[in-house]
């Protein structure tokens, strides 16, 4: 398994992607590997505001002469994400990771289909890159509210070795409608597994579709987290047997068949 | 400047290698964070609250960050005492960790069941009775608010064990000194002060409480001055009573403040969530403080607050 560590990292680059979202690259002096679906906890190195680090999915990991570069895609929603948007390049942050269980790519059956909604893109993009590299064919569906909120469409297309379908709720780009509705419409019999990340209502719809088509879905869930390492029990999700498990450890990627219908 | 600082401390009859323990509910069962903070390097680890049988805990959302703190409503989710004894305790024992088991029950009998099961095991240094959890229906704060039911509970458990009994008190108790007095009179070896403060966070947009149970427990730096006040008050009222201070400790200097207010040891809780090595760093910073300030033995600090 990838070894987790706590290390100071440097904010190496930032790119605006949409009115609310931006991409970051973090330079890690120490070693860091991650698999698609794993996440990191990121926080300021100095001071106690915010008090807790925040979880972010890894969108990609690359090498540079100065160290490992971790790519994140971030949506500004509150205190820390707006700090990240303003922080000068070169600033230090503190990164704990890699954490959690990612997508089970090694056991990916012949033809997975990837589904991302909104800021659920990062782990799906990472999975797409990894599957392409391994020569496993797949299609990808990516939906956002409007064309302005569709992140990195060129990169998404480049990372996909099959069909890349874009959808917007308002029809301003690609197919019109919710990504899960478009997926239902364009469903191929060859799809044998769904890999998905996005807002909870979208994931409920994906789980429902997977049940109907009798395929397994791997869902990357987003629960509020305090520690990221399994000791606070704040991030739990409910399994179908009614028990609660920490999503930072057992997840954030779960098989839909393990989860309660409304986790 | 001193070079060698004696860090060992006493909580009643129990000697700890240093005054810093990991707080219940913030360090798992003791082994989860060994790669960041080996439990044997601490004064001790206090386990997640254990009940006779596994508990599922409360519905979600369970946590929310608040200014300089957080509110939680975990509801004492735990694996149960049996799984702890067979799956966790042997490894803690082998590492030489000082293990304080936090005990929770909905009734007196349930507290007794947990203690009786643990009496059959080596490697438990003390029990900490959680009579102060704000997030469960029965048990919890019921005992911690009422001197006479606490008296009965502690007396009953006192008969079951010769190991130290720590009673973890609720800052929500209307008459904390009366509760403290009852615990001590019934045979408690030490008092842990404090558990979380019952609190409310509101999601303004949804017009709902931020955690599913409505109220939750407030922890973190926000409660430190409140916790210090309670430790000092109890210390002044019962100067002989061993106290374990807890609430918002992030740094070695925070730990020093609790010692000055009368605690013989401190626990570090929420800080571990932001930094899994927090407990270890508090030990190091405490040592550095003592070196800088010419304190040769941390016990010099205990109760050393110059009130006037
Ligand atoms: C495993 C995991 C992976 C994640 N990956 C990403 C990612 O790749 N990119 C990204 O932008 N975000 C991601 N998130 C969400 C991200 O962690 C939150 O948006 C972030 O914690 C908000 O911090 P803040 O200080 O800016 O907001 P706060 O000031 O803490 O909160 C502002 C508002 O956002 C809401 N909020 C806070 N946390 C969450 C959350 N986890 N989900 C939904 N709403 C929340 C609050 O209820 C509040 O209304 C991920 C979350 C998890 C659990
Ligand atoms: C998520 C969480 C879970 C907790 N679980 C327990 C518990 O099981 N038993 C207990 O006695 N105290 C529990 N506590 C209380 C802490 O041990 C401690 O008393 C409190 O958090 C104050 O310390 P702090 O400010 O350093 O966190 C919990 C606290 C938190 C934040
Ligand atoms: S975030 Fe603390 S247990 Fe998962």
């Amino acid at each position: 398994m990838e070894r987790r560590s706590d290390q100071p990292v440097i904010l190496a680059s930032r790119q605006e992607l949409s009115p609310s979202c931006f991409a970051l690259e973090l330079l890690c002096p120490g070693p860091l590997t991650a698999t698609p679906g794993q996440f990191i906890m990121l926080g300021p190195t100095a001071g106690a505001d915010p008090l807790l680090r925040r979880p972010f999915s890894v969108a990609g990991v690359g090498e540079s002469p100065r160290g490992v570069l971790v790519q994140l895609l971030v949506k500004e929603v509150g205190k820390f994400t707006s700090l990240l948007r303003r922080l000068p390049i070169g600033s230090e942050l503190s990164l704990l990771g890699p954490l959690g269980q990612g997508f089970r790519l090694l056991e990916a059956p012949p033809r997975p289909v990837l589904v991302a909604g909104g800021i659920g893109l990062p782990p799906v993009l990472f999975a797409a890159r990894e599957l392409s590299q391994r020569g496993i064919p797949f299609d990808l569906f990516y939906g956002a509210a409007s064309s302005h909120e569709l992140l990195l469409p060129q990169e998404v297309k480049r990372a996909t070795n099959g069909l890349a379908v874009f959808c917007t709720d308002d029809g301003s780009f690609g197919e019109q409608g919710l990504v899960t509705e478009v997926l239902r419409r364009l469903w191929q019999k060859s799809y044998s597994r769904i890999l998905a990340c996005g807002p909870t209502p979208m994931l409920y719809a994906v789980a429902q579709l997977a049940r109907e088509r009798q395929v397994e879905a791997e869902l990357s869930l987003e629960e509020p987290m305090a520690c990221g390492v399994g000791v606070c029990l704040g991030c739990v999700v409910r399994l179908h047997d009614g028990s609660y498990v920490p999503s930072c450890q057992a997840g954030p990627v779960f098989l839909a068949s393990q989860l309660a219908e409304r986790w | 400047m001193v070079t060698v600082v004696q860090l060992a401390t006493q909580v009643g009859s129990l000697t700890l290698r240093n005054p810093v323990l990991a707080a219940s509910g913030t360090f798992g069962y003791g082994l989860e964070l060994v790669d960041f903070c080996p439990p044997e390097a601490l004064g001790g680890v206090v386990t997640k609250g254990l009940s006779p049988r596994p508990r599922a805990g409360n519905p979600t959302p369970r946590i929310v960050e608040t200014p300089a703190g957080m509110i939680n409503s975990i509801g004492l989710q735990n694996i149960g005492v049996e799984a702890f004894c067979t799956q966790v305790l042997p490894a803690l024992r082998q590492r030489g960790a000082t293990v304080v088991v936090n005990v929770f029950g909905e009734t007196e009998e349930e507290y007794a069941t947990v203690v009786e099961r643990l009496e059959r095991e080596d490697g438990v240094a003390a029990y900490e009775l959680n009579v102060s959890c704000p997030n469960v229906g029965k048990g919890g704060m019921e005992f911690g608010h009422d001197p006479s039911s606490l008296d009965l509970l502690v007396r009953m458990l006192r008969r079951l064990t010769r190991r130290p009994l720590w009673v973890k008190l609720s800052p929500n108790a209307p008459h904390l000194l009366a509760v403290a007095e009852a615990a001590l009179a019934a045979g408690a070896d030490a008092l842990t002060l404090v558990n979380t403060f019952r609190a409310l966070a509101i999601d303004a947009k949804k017009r709902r409480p931020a955690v599913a149970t409505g109220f939750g427990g407030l922890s973190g730096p926000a409660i430190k001055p409140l916790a210090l006040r309670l430790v000092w008050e109890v210390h002044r009222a019962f100067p002989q009573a061993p106290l374990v201070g807890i609430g918002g400790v992030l740094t070695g200097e925070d730990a020093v403040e609790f010692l000055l207010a009368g605690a013989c040891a401190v626990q570090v809780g929420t800080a571990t969530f932001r930094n899994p090595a927090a407990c270890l760093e508090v030990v190091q910073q405490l040592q550095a403080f003592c070196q800088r300030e010419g304190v040769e033995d941390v016990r010099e600090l205990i109760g050393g607050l110059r009130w006037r």
Side-chain angles (χ1 to χ4, degrees), chain B residues 23-25 48-49 72 76 102 130 168 194-195 219-220 246-248 269-270:
Chain B
S24 179
K48 178 74 194 162
N72 88 83
L76 292 168
N102 186 277
N130 178 3
K168 185 165 177 179
V194 291
N195 210 316
S219 64
I246 172 165
T270 301

Side-chain angles (χ1 to χ4, degrees), chain A residues 226 231-234, chain B residues 22-27 46-50 62-63 68-78 102-104 128-135 168-169 171 192-197 217-224 227 245-250 258 267-273:
Chain A
V231 292
C232 74
L233 301 180
Chain B
S24 179
T26 63
F27 204 74
V46 189
T47 67
K48 178 74 194 162
L50 292 174
R62 290 178 170 184
I63 49 169
M70 64 180 283
I71 290 178
N72 88 83
S73 177
I74 307 300
L76 292 168
Q77 174 174 349
N78 77 94
N102 186 277
V103 181
F104 174 77
E128 182 180 76
L129 309 180
N130 178 3
V131 292
S132 44
C133 183
N135 300 324
K168 185 165 177 179
L169 297 180
T192 305
L193 299 136
V194 291
N195 210 316
T196 53
F197 287 75
L218 180 65
S219 64
I223 71 169
K224 190 183 77 170
I246 172 165
V249 174
L250 289 187
F258 274 96
Q267 294 181 13
V268 176
T270 301
T272 293
F273 299 160

